[in-house]
Amino acid sequence: MSDQQPSSERGRIRIDGFDEAVEARRDEFDSSPTTLESTTESHRDRLDRRRLRNAWRRFRRNRSATIGLGVIVAMAVLAIVARPIEVSTAQVTVTLQPFSLAPYGPGETFVGPANAPPSPTHPFGTDWAGRDLFSRVLVGGRYTLSIGLVAVVLALGVGVPLGAIAGYFGGWADEILMRIVDVLYAFPFLVLAIALVPILEPVPVLGSGFWTVVVALVLTGWIGYARLLRGEVLSIREREYVTAARALGVPDREIVRRHVVPNAIAPVIVQATLNVGTVVLTAAALGFLGLGLEPGSAEWGAMLSQGRDSLIRGDWHVTVFPGLAIFLFVLSINLVGDGLNDALDPGRDVSDERRRLR
């Protein structure tokens, strides 16, 4: 009876080395405080990569969105290779792009008869000054497409941080920002841009030209992104993972940057993609009204303005081809935006997962 184990030890199976291994593993885990954080980070990275792959797969299945993306890429490539791109300094000139798809420079006059119709020599015809319209449309894509892209990117850079701050922190910051947004929303987008361009032209840094139009479009375009992101952040900041991050003592700046904005940015990206077409149309309208870019530039809206008199005389080609370029680009952007809206829909991941489980 003396050899019997105490009752508290009865029924236990002891495996030599097992308890020591468990203790060593526990000590190793406890001695590295970043293990849990790094594991969570890697898991989140895997989820993000899987979402991106699923979104790209859904986007590729959308035939109209794929065609629209192909048209945009083709127009961008044609604009880049239209004429050589050179950067000049005081002593040297560096050629960044040596190709020249356009047969003439956009400002070369009387390369053919004035207002000549389309022909093998001039596929899009010529304008009132004998300038080749094919060359001007290709080079003009640089102005119009770059204005749309740069203005939207800069407007996102302004609207996204302000919307995130207003939605997450609330209080006086939210109140002040939303009142500013309400005041700016009282003016139509185009009317506000028309009013801002003459105000910005005397600024020495901007002058009259490309950057004047871009800044005017940024000052009128950020309000939509700020309001949209604020609405998304208001719903996301009450989610469980945000509350858990606050309970763990994660700084608010990190919560906004790593948890709130990434989960709220998808509708803003879709809206920004669709707004590229709106910005291009607004830039073309400003050029048509003679605001922004210098007179005689190859920007598509300015070309429409310069061809009004020719159109009245029956020279249809002077305005048809720049207008067709604007129409094709805006249509393609809208198709891509609709495709992104479907691809980035968070409910699609759940439906795809259920479909695989069936």
Side-chain angles (χ1 to χ4, degrees):
M1 296 293 294
S2 60
D3 295 337
Q4 291 181 354
Q5 294 180 351
S7 59
S8 61
E9 297 293 332
R10 292 177 183 176
R12 295 187 61 183
I13 300 176
R14 180 178 179 83
I15 301 176
D16 292 338
F18 178 76
D19 293 337
E20 291 81 358
V22 171
E23 290 296 332
R25 181 60 178 168
R26 184 181 297 117
D27 293 339
E28 178 184 355
F29 186 83
D30 294 338
S31 63
S32 95
T34 60
T35 302
L36 180 59
E37 182 179 356
S38 61
T39 303
T40 306
E41 287 287 341
S42 62
H43 179 65
R44 184 165 56 246
D45 292 340
R46 288 196 299 270
L47 289 177
D48 291 341
R49 287 194 295 268
R50 188 176 68 180
R51 290 194 189 101
L52 288 176
R53 287 196 299 268
N54 292 338
W56 174 241
R57 185 174 62 252
R58 289 192 294 269
F59 183 85
R60 286 186 303 174
R61 285 202 295 258
N62 191 326
R63 185 172 301 176
S64 60
T66 305
I67 294 174
L69 181 61
V71 171
I72 293 171
V73 171
M75 295 180 75
V77 171
L78 290 175
I80 292 173
V81 302
R83 298 293 291 177
I85 300 176
E86 298 178 347
V87 176
S88 299
T89 59
Q91 286 117 5
V92 66
T93 299
V94 179
T95 302
L96 300 179
Q97 192 279 110
F99 301 103
S100 179
L101 182 63
Y104 305 98
E108 292 185 42
T109 58
F110 299 109
V111 297
N115 294 321
S119 63
T121 306
H122 305 285
F124 291 175
T126 60
D127 63 3
W128 62 273
R131 294 174 295 196
D132 182 62
L133 285 178
F134 178 73
S135 302
R136 288 176 63 78
V137 169
L138 290 183
V139 177
R142 293 182 180 179
Y143 297 104
T144 305
L145 303 188
S146 59
I147 286 175
L149 179 62
V150 174
V152 168
V153 170
L154 293 180
L156 281 173
V158 176
V160 168
L162 293 179
I165 292 171
Y168 184 80
F169 295 101
W172 61 268
D174 183 26
E175 190 69 22
I176 293 175
L177 181 64
M178 287 301 104
R179 297 297 74 77
I180 295 174
V181 169
D182 291 339
V183 171
L184 294 177
Y185 259 123
F187 301 94
F189 182 75
L190 179 58
V191 173
L192 189 58
I194 292 173
L196 285 174
V197 169
I199 297 174
L200 295 172
E201 282 183 350
V203 178
V205 179
L206 300 177
S208 61
F210 178 87
W211 288 108
T212 302
V213 177
V214 168
V215 173
L217 294 174
V218 170
L219 293 177
T220 56
W222 68 269
I223 54 179
Y225 307 129
R227 170 169 283 187
L228 179 59
L229 188 70
R230 172 186 175 270
E232 294 293 324
V233 171
L234 285 175
S235 63
I236 288 177
R237 71 177 184 179
E238 305 299 332
R239 300 285 177 85
E240 291 81 0
Y241 55 86
V242 177
T243 304
R246 288 200 202 100
L248 292 173
V250 180
D252 289 331
R253 181 179 61 185
E254 290 297 313
I255 293 176
V256 173
R257 184 178 65 87
R258 296 167 58 183
H259 301 287
V260 176
V261 172
N263 288 283
I265 200 68
V268 181
I269 293 176
V270 174
Q271 184 65 31
T273 305
L274 294 172
N275 278 354
V276 172
T278 304
V279 170
V280 167
L281 286 176
T282 305
L286 293 175
F288 184 81
L289 296 174
L291 298 173
L293 273 69
E294 296 82 358
S297 64
E299 195 269 330
W300 292 340
M303 293 176 64
L304 290 176
S305 177
Q306 297 158 18
R308 284 180 295 181
D309 296 336
S310 300
L311 181 63
I312 295 174
R313 293 193 300 266
D315 299 319
W316 57 271
H317 62 279
V318 178
T319 54
V320 163
F321 291 108
L324 186 61
I326 295 174
F327 167 78
L328 190 60
F329 179 77
V330 174
L331 176 62
S332 302
I333 279 289
N334 288 336
L335 292 176
V336 172
D338 290 339
L340 282 178
N341 188 28
D342 294 336
L344 296 177
D345 184 4
R348 294 300 183 91
D349 288 331
V350 177
S351 61
D352 289 349
E353 187 69 25
R354 290 175 178 174
R355 193 178 299 112
R356 284 195 297 267
L357 293 176
R358 287 178 182 176

mmCIF file of all heavy atoms in Angstrom, residues 166-205:
data_model
loop_
_atom_site.group_PDB
_atom_site.id
_atom_site.type_symbol
_atom_site.label_atom_id
_atom_site.label_comp_id
_atom_site.label_asym_id
_atom_site.label_seq_id
_atom_site.Cartn_x
_atom_site.Cartn_y
_atom_site.Cartn_z
ATOM 1 N N ALA A 166 -12.233 63.201 -39.844
ATOM 2 C CA ALA A 166 -13.577 63.631 -39.464
ATOM 3 C C ALA A 166 -14.441 62.459 -39.012
ATOM 4 O O ALA A 166 -15.183 62.555 -38.025
ATOM 5 C CB ALA A 166 -14.242 64.350 -40.638
ATOM 6 N N GLY A 167 -14.354 61.332 -39.708
ATOM 7 C CA GLY A 167 -15.199 60.202 -39.365
ATOM 8 C C GLY A 167 -14.763 59.473 -38.114
ATOM 9 O O GLY A 167 -15.600 59.005 -37.329
ATOM 10 N N TYR A 168 -13.452 59.360 -37.887
ATOM 11 C CA TYR A 168 -12.968 58.581 -36.744
ATOM 12 C C TYR A 168 -12.998 59.373 -35.446
ATOM 13 O O TYR A 168 -13.433 58.875 -34.413
ATOM 14 C CB TYR A 168 -11.549 58.087 -37.026
ATOM 15 C CG TYR A 168 -11.001 57.188 -35.941
ATOM 16 C CD1 TYR A 168 -11.365 55.840 -35.894
ATOM 17 C CD2 TYR A 168 -10.155 57.676 -34.953
ATOM 18 C CE1 TYR A 168 -10.877 55.014 -34.896
ATOM 19 C CE2 TYR A 168 -9.669 56.856 -33.954
ATOM 20 C CZ TYR A 168 -10.035 55.524 -33.927
ATOM 21 O OH TYR A 168 -9.560 54.717 -32.930
ATOM 22 N N PHE A 169 -12.522 60.610 -35.481
ATOM 23 C CA PHE A 169 -12.418 61.391 -34.252
ATOM 24 C C PHE A 169 -13.699 62.169 -33.952
ATOM 25 O O PHE A 169 -14.009 62.413 -32.790
ATOM 26 C CB PHE A 169 -11.227 62.352 -34.344
ATOM 27 C CG PHE A 169 -9.902 61.665 -34.411
ATOM 28 C CD1 PHE A 169 -9.237 61.517 -35.609
ATOM 29 C CD2 PHE A 169 -9.325 61.133 -33.271
ATOM 30 C CE1 PHE A 169 -8.020 60.880 -35.688
ATOM 31 C CE2 PHE A 169 -8.105 60.484 -33.328
ATOM 32 C CZ PHE A 169 -7.445 60.351 -34.543
ATOM 33 N N GLY A 170 -14.424 62.590 -34.992
ATOM 34 C CA GLY A 170 -15.654 63.332 -34.766
ATOM 35 C C GLY A 170 -15.388 64.665 -34.084
ATOM 36 O O GLY A 170 -14.346 65.288 -34.266
ATOM 37 N N GLY A 171 -16.357 65.121 -33.303
ATOM 38 C CA GLY A 171 -16.180 66.344 -32.535
ATOM 39 C C GLY A 171 -16.078 67.582 -33.409
ATOM 40 O O GLY A 171 -16.687 67.687 -34.472
ATOM 41 N N TRP A 172 -15.259 68.530 -32.942
ATOM 42 C CA TRP A 172 -15.143 69.807 -33.643
ATOM 43 C C TRP A 172 -14.502 69.644 -35.019
ATOM 44 O O TRP A 172 -14.831 70.396 -35.938
ATOM 45 C CB TRP A 172 -14.356 70.795 -32.805
ATOM 46 C CG TRP A 172 -12.948 70.363 -32.503
ATOM 47 C CD1 TRP A 172 -12.505 69.667 -31.437
ATOM 48 C CD2 TRP A 172 -11.803 70.610 -33.324
ATOM 49 N NE1 TRP A 172 -11.143 69.437 -31.519
ATOM 50 C CE2 TRP A 172 -10.689 70.022 -32.671
ATOM 51 C CE3 TRP A 172 -11.595 71.262 -34.542
ATOM 52 C CZ2 TRP A 172 -9.407 70.069 -33.196
ATOM 53 C CZ3 TRP A 172 -10.316 71.304 -35.061
ATOM 54 C CH2 TRP A 172 -9.243 70.719 -34.393
ATOM 55 N N ALA A 173 -13.578 68.678 -35.171
ATOM 56 C CA ALA A 173 -12.949 68.473 -36.480
ATOM 57 C C ALA A 173 -13.991 68.039 -37.517
ATOM 58 O O ALA A 173 -14.019 68.546 -38.649
ATOM 59 C CB ALA A 173 -11.840 67.430 -36.363
ATOM 60 N N ASP A 174 -14.858 67.120 -37.129
ATOM 61 C CA ASP A 174 -15.915 66.665 -38.030
ATOM 62 C C ASP A 174 -16.883 67.801 -38.346
ATOM 63 O O ASP A 174 -17.303 67.980 -39.499
ATOM 64 C CB ASP A 174 -16.653 65.493 -37.378
ATOM 65 C CG ASP A 174 -17.719 64.903 -38.279
ATOM 66 O OD1 ASP A 174 -17.586 65.031 -39.513
ATOM 67 O OD2 ASP A 174 -18.684 64.321 -37.762
ATOM 68 N N GLU A 175 -17.219 68.598 -37.328
ATOM 69 C CA GLU A 175 -18.176 69.679 -37.529
ATOM 70 C C GLU A 175 -17.636 70.728 -38.494
ATOM 71 O O GLU A 175 -18.324 71.161 -39.427
ATOM 72 C CB GLU A 175 -18.512 70.313 -36.171
ATOM 73 C CG GLU A 175 -19.678 71.285 -36.206
ATOM 74 C CD GLU A 175 -21.001 70.592 -36.458
ATOM 75 O OE1 GLU A 175 -21.101 69.377 -36.197
ATOM 76 O OE2 GLU A 175 -21.921 71.269 -36.950
ATOM 77 N N ILE A 176 -16.383 71.145 -38.295
ATOM 78 C CA ILE A 176 -15.796 72.171 -39.155
ATOM 79 C C ILE A 176 -15.669 71.662 -40.591
ATOM 80 O O ILE A 176 -16.019 72.351 -41.560
ATOM 81 C CB ILE A 176 -14.435 72.611 -38.604
ATOM 82 C CG1 ILE A 176 -14.613 73.351 -37.269
ATOM 83 C CG2 ILE A 176 -13.699 73.505 -39.604
ATOM 84 C CD1 ILE A 176 -13.310 73.717 -36.604
ATOM 85 N N LEU A 177 -15.161 70.432 -40.744
ATOM 86 C CA LEU A 177 -14.943 69.896 -42.085
ATOM 87 C C LEU A 177 -16.250 69.731 -42.841
ATOM 88 O O LEU A 177 -16.352 70.091 -44.022
ATOM 89 C CB LEU A 177 -14.214 68.555 -41.994
ATOM 90 C CG LEU A 177 -13.893 67.881 -43.327
ATOM 91 C CD1 LEU A 177 -12.923 68.731 -44.131
ATOM 92 C CD2 LEU A 177 -13.323 66.495 -43.113
ATOM 93 N N MET A 178 -17.269 69.229 -42.180
ATOM 94 C CA MET A 178 -18.540 69.009 -42.867
ATOM 95 C C MET A 178 -19.232 70.321 -43.226
ATOM 96 O O MET A 178 -19.940 70.410 -44.223
ATOM 97 C CB MET A 178 -19.461 68.151 -42.003
ATOM 98 C CG MET A 178 -19.037 66.691 -41.945
ATOM 99 S SD MET A 178 -18.994 65.898 -43.597
ATOM 100 C CE MET A 178 -17.229 65.858 -43.917
ATOM 101 N N ARG A 179 -19.027 71.361 -42.420
ATOM 102 C CA ARG A 179 -19.613 72.651 -42.789
ATOM 103 C C ARG A 179 -18.911 73.223 -44.019
ATOM 104 O O ARG A 179 -19.545 73.833 -44.882
ATOM 105 C CB ARG A 179 -19.516 73.621 -41.619
ATOM 106 C CG ARG A 179 -20.278 73.227 -40.366
ATOM 107 C CD ARG A 179 -21.785 73.131 -40.546
ATOM 108 N NE ARG A 179 -22.244 71.946 -41.281
ATOM 109 C CZ ARG A 179 -22.324 70.724 -40.756
ATOM 110 N NH1 ARG A 179 -21.965 70.513 -39.504
ATOM 111 N NH2 ARG A 179 -22.755 69.726 -41.482
ATOM 112 N N ILE A 180 -17.593 73.026 -44.104
ATOM 113 C CA ILE A 180 -16.875 73.460 -45.308
ATOM 114 C C ILE A 180 -17.362 72.685 -46.526
ATOM 115 O O ILE A 180 -17.585 73.252 -47.609
ATOM 116 C CB ILE A 180 -15.360 73.277 -45.111
ATOM 117 C CG1 ILE A 180 -14.852 74.203 -44.008
ATOM 118 C CG2 ILE A 180 -14.605 73.552 -46.405
ATOM 119 C CD1 ILE A 180 -13.389 73.986 -43.661
ATOM 120 N N VAL A 181 -17.558 71.388 -46.361
ATOM 121 C CA VAL A 181 -18.050 70.556 -47.465
ATOM 122 C C VAL A 181 -19.450 71.004 -47.892
ATOM 123 O O VAL A 181 -19.759 71.083 -49.086
ATOM 124 C CB VAL A 181 -18.038 69.074 -47.050
ATOM 125 C CG1 VAL A 181 -18.781 68.225 -48.072
ATOM 126 C CG2 VAL A 181 -16.610 68.579 -46.897
ATOM 127 N N ASP A 182 -20.296 71.324 -46.928
ATOM 128 C CA ASP A 182 -21.649 71.774 -47.268
ATOM 129 C C ASP A 182 -21.618 73.079 -48.059
ATOM 130 O O ASP A 182 -22.392 73.253 -49.016
ATOM 131 C CB ASP A 182 -22.467 71.964 -45.988
ATOM 132 C CG ASP A 182 -22.785 70.647 -45.301
ATOM 133 O OD1 ASP A 182 -22.739 69.605 -45.982
ATOM 134 O OD2 ASP A 182 -23.057 70.654 -44.086
ATOM 135 N N VAL A 183 -20.738 73.991 -47.675
ATOM 136 C CA VAL A 183 -20.638 75.262 -48.397
ATOM 137 C C VAL A 183 -20.169 75.031 -49.825
ATOM 138 O O VAL A 183 -20.720 75.600 -50.791
ATOM 139 C CB VAL A 183 -19.694 76.229 -47.656
ATOM 140 C CG1 VAL A 183 -19.399 77.459 -48.505
ATOM 141 C CG2 VAL A 183 -20.295 76.647 -46.324
ATOM 142 N N LEU A 184 -19.154 74.181 -50.004
ATOM 143 C CA LEU A 184 -18.636 73.923 -51.348
ATOM 144 C C LEU A 184 -19.633 73.147 -52.203
ATOM 145 O O LEU A 184 -19.684 73.330 -53.423
ATOM 146 C CB LEU A 184 -17.310 73.163 -51.257
ATOM 147 C CG LEU A 184 -16.142 73.940 -50.634
ATOM 148 C CD1 LEU A 184 -14.904 73.052 -50.537
ATOM 149 C CD2 LEU A 184 -15.836 75.194 -51.433
ATOM 150 N N TYR A 185 -20.424 72.283 -51.553
ATOM 151 C CA TYR A 185 -21.432 71.534 -52.311
ATOM 152 C C TYR A 185 -22.567 72.431 -52.802
ATOM 153 O O TYR A 185 -23.352 72.023 -53.667
ATOM 154 C CB TYR A 185 -22.012 70.411 -51.449
ATOM 155 C CG TYR A 185 -21.429 69.059 -51.756
ATOM 156 C CD1 TYR A 185 -20.808 68.302 -50.773
ATOM 157 C CD2 TYR A 185 -21.509 68.527 -53.038
ATOM 158 C CE1 TYR A 185 -20.271 67.066 -51.043
ATOM 159 C CE2 TYR A 185 -20.974 67.285 -53.322
ATOM 160 C CZ TYR A 185 -20.351 66.555 -52.320
ATOM 161 O OH TYR A 185 -19.818 65.331 -52.595
ATOM 162 N N ALA A 186 -22.667 73.625 -52.270
ATOM 163 C CA ALA A 186 -23.713 74.539 -52.724
ATOM 164 C C ALA A 186 -23.456 75.032 -54.143
ATOM 165 O O ALA A 186 -24.374 75.528 -54.802
ATOM 166 C CB ALA A 186 -23.821 75.730 -51.775
ATOM 167 N N PHE A 187 -22.224 74.909 -54.616
ATOM 168 C CA PHE A 187 -21.871 75.354 -55.964
ATOM 169 C C PHE A 187 -21.742 74.143 -56.874
ATOM 170 O O PHE A 187 -21.145 73.130 -56.483
ATOM 171 C CB PHE A 187 -20.543 76.113 -55.958
ATOM 172 C CG PHE A 187 -20.548 77.331 -55.085
ATOM 173 C CD1 PHE A 187 -20.099 77.254 -53.768
ATOM 174 C CD2 PHE A 187 -20.997 78.547 -55.564
ATOM 175 C CE1 PHE A 187 -20.102 78.366 -52.957
ATOM 176 C CE2 PHE A 187 -20.998 79.661 -54.761
ATOM 177 C CZ PHE A 187 -20.554 79.580 -53.446
ATOM 178 N N PRO A 188 -22.252 74.221 -58.084
ATOM 179 C CA PRO A 188 -22.003 73.132 -59.050
ATOM 180 C C PRO A 188 -20.508 72.974 -59.315
ATOM 181 O O PRO A 188 -19.742 73.943 -59.260
ATOM 182 C CB PRO A 188 -22.756 73.593 -60.303
ATOM 183 C CG PRO A 188 -23.782 74.555 -59.807
ATOM 184 C CD PRO A 188 -23.165 75.232 -58.620
ATOM 185 N N PHE A 189 -20.118 71.742 -59.597
ATOM 186 C CA PHE A 189 -18.705 71.418 -59.760
ATOM 187 C C PHE A 189 -18.047 72.273 -60.835
ATOM 188 O O PHE A 189 -16.987 72.874 -60.623
ATOM 189 C CB PHE A 189 -18.590 69.926 -60.100
ATOM 190 C CG PHE A 189 -17.184 69.422 -60.264
ATOM 191 C CD1 PHE A 189 -16.379 69.207 -59.162
ATOM 192 C CD2 PHE A 189 -16.663 69.161 -61.527
ATOM 193 C CE1 PHE A 189 -15.089 68.738 -59.307
ATOM 194 C CE2 PHE A 189 -15.379 68.690 -61.676
ATOM 195 C CZ PHE A 189 -14.590 68.480 -60.564
ATOM 196 N N LEU A 190 -18.679 72.364 -62.004
ATOM 197 C CA LEU A 190 -18.093 73.114 -63.111
ATOM 198 C C LEU A 190 -18.073 74.614 -62.823
ATOM 199 O O LEU A 190 -17.092 75.296 -63.129
ATOM 200 C CB LEU A 190 -18.878 72.827 -64.395
ATOM 201 C CG LEU A 190 -18.405 73.551 -65.654
ATOM 202 C CD1 LEU A 190 -16.953 73.218 -65.963
ATOM 203 C CD2 LEU A 190 -19.298 73.202 -66.838
ATOM 204 N N VAL A 191 -19.140 75.121 -62.221
ATOM 205 C CA VAL A 191 -19.191 76.556 -61.919
ATOM 206 C C VAL A 191 -18.095 76.933 -60.925
ATOM 207 O O VAL A 191 -17.433 77.980 -61.065
ATOM 208 C CB VAL A 191 -20.583 76.927 -61.380
ATOM 209 C CG1 VAL A 191 -20.616 78.373 -60.897
ATOM 210 C CG2 VAL A 191 -21.640 76.702 -62.449
ATOM 211 N N LEU A 192 -17.879 76.096 -59.932
ATOM 212 C CA LEU A 192 -16.828 76.372 -58.950
ATOM 213 C C LEU A 192 -15.451 76.330 -59.596
ATOM 214 O O LEU A 192 -14.576 77.156 -59.285
ATOM 215 C CB LEU A 192 -16.914 75.355 -57.808
ATOM 216 C CG LEU A 192 -16.025 75.606 -56.591
ATOM 217 C CD1 LEU A 192 -16.316 76.967 -55.979
ATOM 218 C CD2 LEU A 192 -16.213 74.505 -55.557
ATOM 219 N N ALA A 193 -15.222 75.383 -60.507
ATOM 220 C CA ALA A 193 -13.938 75.323 -61.208
ATOM 221 C C ALA A 193 -13.739 76.543 -62.093
ATOM 222 O O ALA A 193 -12.629 77.108 -62.158
ATOM 223 C CB ALA A 193 -13.870 74.044 -62.041
ATOM 224 N N ILE A 194 -14.795 76.998 -62.769
ATOM 225 C CA ILE A 194 -14.694 78.189 -63.606
ATOM 226 C C ILE A 194 -14.345 79.409 -62.760
ATOM 227 O O ILE A 194 -13.571 80.282 -63.175
ATOM 228 C CB ILE A 194 -16.018 78.404 -64.375
ATOM 229 C CG1 ILE A 194 -16.206 77.295 -65.413
ATOM 230 C CG2 ILE A 194 -16.047 79.761 -65.051
ATOM 231 C CD1 ILE A 194 -17.555 77.328 -66.093
ATOM 232 N N ALA A 195 -14.899 79.480 -61.551
ATOM 233 C CA ALA A 195 -14.607 80.612 -60.678
ATOM 234 C C ALA A 195 -13.189 80.558 -60.119
ATOM 235 O O ALA A 195 -12.577 81.608 -59.876
ATOM 236 C CB ALA A 195 -15.624 80.649 -59.533
ATOM 237 N N LEU A 196 -12.667 79.360 -59.907
ATOM 238 C CA LEU A 196 -11.344 79.238 -59.292
ATOM 239 C C LEU A 196 -10.202 79.494 -60.276
ATOM 240 O O LEU A 196 -9.144 79.973 -59.870
ATOM 241 C CB LEU A 196 -11.189 77.838 -58.677
ATOM 242 C CG LEU A 196 -11.946 77.583 -57.373
ATOM 243 C CD1 LEU A 196 -11.818 76.128 -56.969
ATOM 244 C CD2 LEU A 196 -11.412 78.484 -56.266
ATOM 245 N N VAL A 197 -10.383 79.151 -61.540
ATOM 246 C CA VAL A 197 -9.282 79.297 -62.499
ATOM 247 C C VAL A 197 -8.793 80.740 -62.603
ATOM 248 O O VAL A 197 -7.582 80.994 -62.502
ATOM 249 C CB VAL A 197 -9.691 78.739 -63.874
ATOM 250 C CG1 VAL A 197 -8.676 79.117 -64.940
ATOM 251 C CG2 VAL A 197 -9.820 77.217 -63.809
ATOM 252 N N PRO A 198 -9.653 81.745 -62.781
ATOM 253 C CA PRO A 198 -9.126 83.126 -62.829
ATOM 254 C C PRO A 198 -8.485 83.570 -61.519
ATOM 255 O O PRO A 198 -7.572 84.396 -61.525
ATOM 256 C CB PRO A 198 -10.379 83.962 -63.140
ATOM 257 C CG PRO A 198 -11.355 83.013 -63.738
ATOM 258 C CD PRO A 198 -11.098 81.710 -63.068
ATOM 259 N N ILE A 199 -8.952 83.014 -60.385
ATOM 260 C CA ILE A 199 -8.354 83.374 -59.096
ATOM 261 C C ILE A 199 -6.947 82.803 -58.976
ATOM 262 O O ILE A 199 -6.049 83.438 -58.401
ATOM 263 C CB ILE A 199 -9.250 82.872 -57.948
ATOM 264 C CG1 ILE A 199 -10.609 83.575 -58.000
ATOM 265 C CG2 ILE A 199 -8.590 83.083 -56.597
ATOM 266 C CD1 ILE A 199 -11.613 83.045 -56.999
ATOM 267 N N LEU A 200 -6.736 81.595 -59.522
ATOM 268 C CA LEU A 200 -5.438 80.935 -59.383
ATOM 269 C C LEU A 200 -4.421 81.399 -60.413
ATOM 270 O O LEU A 200 -3.218 81.217 -60.206
ATOM 271 C CB LEU A 200 -5.624 79.413 -59.508
ATOM 272 C CG LEU A 200 -6.444 78.736 -58.400
ATOM 273 C CD1 LEU A 200 -6.713 77.286 -58.755
ATOM 274 C CD2 LEU A 200 -5.705 78.823 -57.067
ATOM 275 N N GLU A 201 -4.848 81.967 -61.523
ATOM 276 C CA GLU A 201 -3.899 82.354 -62.579
ATOM 277 C C GLU A 201 -2.859 83.373 -62.124
ATOM 278 O O GLU A 201 -1.701 83.284 -62.530
ATOM 279 C CB GLU A 201 -4.669 82.874 -63.798
ATOM 280 C CG GLU A 201 -5.278 81.768 -64.637
ATOM 281 C CD GLU A 201 -5.965 82.304 -65.883
ATOM 282 O OE1 GLU A 201 -6.112 83.540 -65.981
ATOM 283 O OE2 GLU A 201 -6.342 81.489 -66.741
ATOM 284 N N PRO A 202 -3.201 84.370 -61.268
ATOM 285 C CA PRO A 202 -2.149 85.306 -60.833
ATOM 286 C C PRO A 202 -1.126 84.715 -59.876
ATOM 287 O O PRO A 202 -0.118 85.374 -59.585
ATOM 288 C CB PRO A 202 -2.953 86.426 -60.138
ATOM 289 C CG PRO A 202 -4.337 86.291 -60.637
ATOM 290 C CD PRO A 202 -4.536 84.830 -60.871
ATOM 291 N N VAL A 203 -1.363 83.507 -59.356
ATOM 292 C CA VAL A 203 -0.406 82.898 -58.425
ATOM 293 C C VAL A 203 0.880 82.610 -59.170
ATOM 294 O O VAL A 203 0.876 81.892 -60.186
ATOM 295 C CB VAL A 203 -0.993 81.605 -57.819
ATOM 296 C CG1 VAL A 203 0.028 80.953 -56.891
ATOM 297 C CG2 VAL A 203 -2.280 81.914 -57.071
ATOM 298 N N PRO A 204 2.036 83.141 -58.715
ATOM 299 C CA PRO A 204 3.290 82.981 -59.488
ATOM 300 C C PRO A 204 3.697 81.524 -59.678
ATOM 301 O O PRO A 204 4.243 81.157 -60.716
ATOM 302 C CB PRO A 204 4.318 83.747 -58.645
ATOM 303 C CG PRO A 204 3.513 84.680 -57.799
ATOM 304 C CD PRO A 204 2.219 83.985 -57.530
ATOM 305 N N VAL A 205 3.446 80.702 -58.676
ATOM 306 C CA VAL A 205 3.877 79.303 -58.777
ATOM 307 C C VAL A 205 3.101 78.568 -59.859
ATOM 308 O O VAL A 205 3.638 77.682 -60.538
ATOM 309 C CB VAL A 205 3.710 78.604 -57.417
ATOM 310 C CG1 VAL A 205 4.125 77.138 -57.507
ATOM 311 C CG2 VAL A 205 4.520 79.324 -56.354
#
